[in-house]
Amino acid sequence: MQQAGSVADLGTLLPVWSALPFVGMLLSIAVLPMLAPRVWHHRYPAITAAWGLLFALPFAARFGDVALHELLQVALVDYVPFLVLIATLFTIGGGIHIRGSVRGTPATNAAIMGIGSALASLVGTTGAAMVTIRPLLRANRFRRHRAHTVVFFTFLVANVGGGLTPLGDPPLFLGFLHGVPFFWTLRLWKHVLVCAAVVLVVYVLCDLWQWRREDGVARQRHAAEEEPLRIEGAINLLLLLAVVAAVGGSGLWHGKALRVLGVYETTGNALRDLVLLAILVLSWKLTPDSVRAANAFSWAPIKEVGILFAGVFVTMIPAVVMLRAGEQGALACVVRTVDSPAHFFWASGLLSSFLDNAPTYLTFLSTAVGRLFPGAPESQGIARLILEHPEFLVAISTGSVFMGANTYIGNAPNFMVKTIAEEAGVPMPSFFGYILRYSVPVLVPTFAAMTWIFY
Amino acid sequence: MSSWAAIIVEGAEGKLRAFVAGFLAGRQLPSTSVAFGCDLRLEHASLTERLRALLTGGHHLLLAPPELAPALREAIARGGPDVGLHAAGQHDISEAWFDIDATVYARDVAQTIRGVLAAVPHGARLEAYEEHEEVQPEYKAIELYTPVHDYRYRIHVRVIGAVGGVLAIRRELDRIEAVQLSPLHLRDGPLPTSASQEPGAPRKL
């Protein structure tokens, strides 16, 4: 190995095996919750630390200051803002509770899913799923057949609905942090609309069939259903608008350049994160405890995200810099393999189906930049990608966001929805049952049609 | 105590359902008084047989209690041919059984299952009763990446005995989505003389 002269050189110097801890990290998140759930539950911080150190220690020893700079860059520019946003949206989402119940007819269920999908682009897929899954389960508590409703809810609210803004799904926020303008993602509206509409129509047809199979008890109107709907913790809706303003504003106003521990940041970004933290505190203070209790709110998911993504972001460094180096890097074979928007849509999507979609998005964003503008600095490469080949970014964004729905492990809220539904007595399909009974017949043809229409 | 009867009827399923509904309504009896074999996953028809049944009608099995079976068979023999239904045979059923499997993570659902199984109707009994309940408060929180349930209840049991009692408990359990019911099995012949055994003692899974 040669001595790295600069960060830009890293992509051409790092060997392909340096990405193995990243692969191990992602596979741990994907596989261990199913293979060894209790070991994973107790030991995930240690496993994460092991993968992170397996890369970081030799990396720092070999590349010295350049490696430390890259680690600090990832920590300050990616990890901290990512965690602050996720925690803020999660706190806000956990402060909104819809009390009361409606009757779980096919039309009502479709309406709840539609509202949840729209909410997902504002409060994030995790927050939207947390707010709307319990009203959906309450509405359907008298029904015999509910598992399909929860699966379609996962497709729409926990995944597809998050495709419109950087607040909607972590991959898009990472894109925003790396220079994709806040409002650029709104151009995905056609893709979101087509995908959501197709899935929703299939759901309604499926639920109409299931509705006819319900016995009279389930289809009758029950006195217990008559409790009118009302939103508790509505102050959080205002705080949500403040989040949109803070994040959107940081994309429009950058302020002065700051140098923190040798890493360049802007006052705009620093201010955004401080405002988000203030909003988080306000949400916590202003939301009654009863509302959070009704949502079974706890900090456990944020602790998980904080620990796991520390490992993801650290181990992701070699993969990203090698891909960004294009055909000069050790992952040139990957860069050569994907060469059209359709390839990027399916490649980012298939990987997002089985690995977390946020790192997958960044990996393919780097691949696209490395392929089209090899050697260009990231900020320039992404700016040129948006200007000259936006169809690649559209494909990566939609593939990463939508195809997270393909499996339980594709996107974080999928597992959360499954757990909440199971604890409400819904027998959710197994890992392969979910794929074979729902994803393959519903989502795969939808994505194939989208490829034909858009790519 | 007489046996339930399995009446085999030829004809279209929709017409048979309408016929039976009319028969029961005329006697002011609930719709559950007569059971359809296909609702109990009793008929294992091949795809070809199902297609043929769809086009030409087919064979259907009705389970009727002893006090209704003769009248139902007579009604089908008398009025059935007008709507394309023909009684093709009848035999007595001495016993029925099915297996229950469930793994649930909701305490109230587990309680409902236990409640149903605690009130086994006369003539039915439980066999091979295996259940396991696990509570682990440290897994209480709902998590994104490391989800483990704090409560799990598993049960496997066979419900066996007189057809009426077995069908009644099957209807109750069928309302619970988390419960997997095996197809219903029937034993032909007159009722055994010692049909009322005690339920098997619960056993850990």
Side-chain angles (χ1 to χ4, degrees), chain A residues 9 43 96 111 131 155-156 214 233 284 317 342-343 378 402:
Chain A
D9 293 337
R43 303 279 176 235
I96 301 170
V131 170
F155 289 171
L156 288 165
E214 298 286 355
W284 183 252
I317 290 171
H343 287 175
E378 184 190 74
F402 295 173

Side-chain angles (χ1 to χ4, degrees), chain A residues 314-332:
Chain A
V314 167
T315 56
M316 189 167 55
I317 290 171
V320 168
V321 295
M322 281 189 283
L323 288 168
R324 210 183 296 149
E327 303 219 6
Q328 307 303 313
L331 291 177

Side-chain angles (χ1 to χ4, degrees), chain A residues 167-183:
Chain A
L167 304 179
D169 214 10
L172 301 183
F173 185 66
L174 282 183
F176 171 73
L177 292 178
H178 284 253
V180 178
F182 184 83
F183 293 106

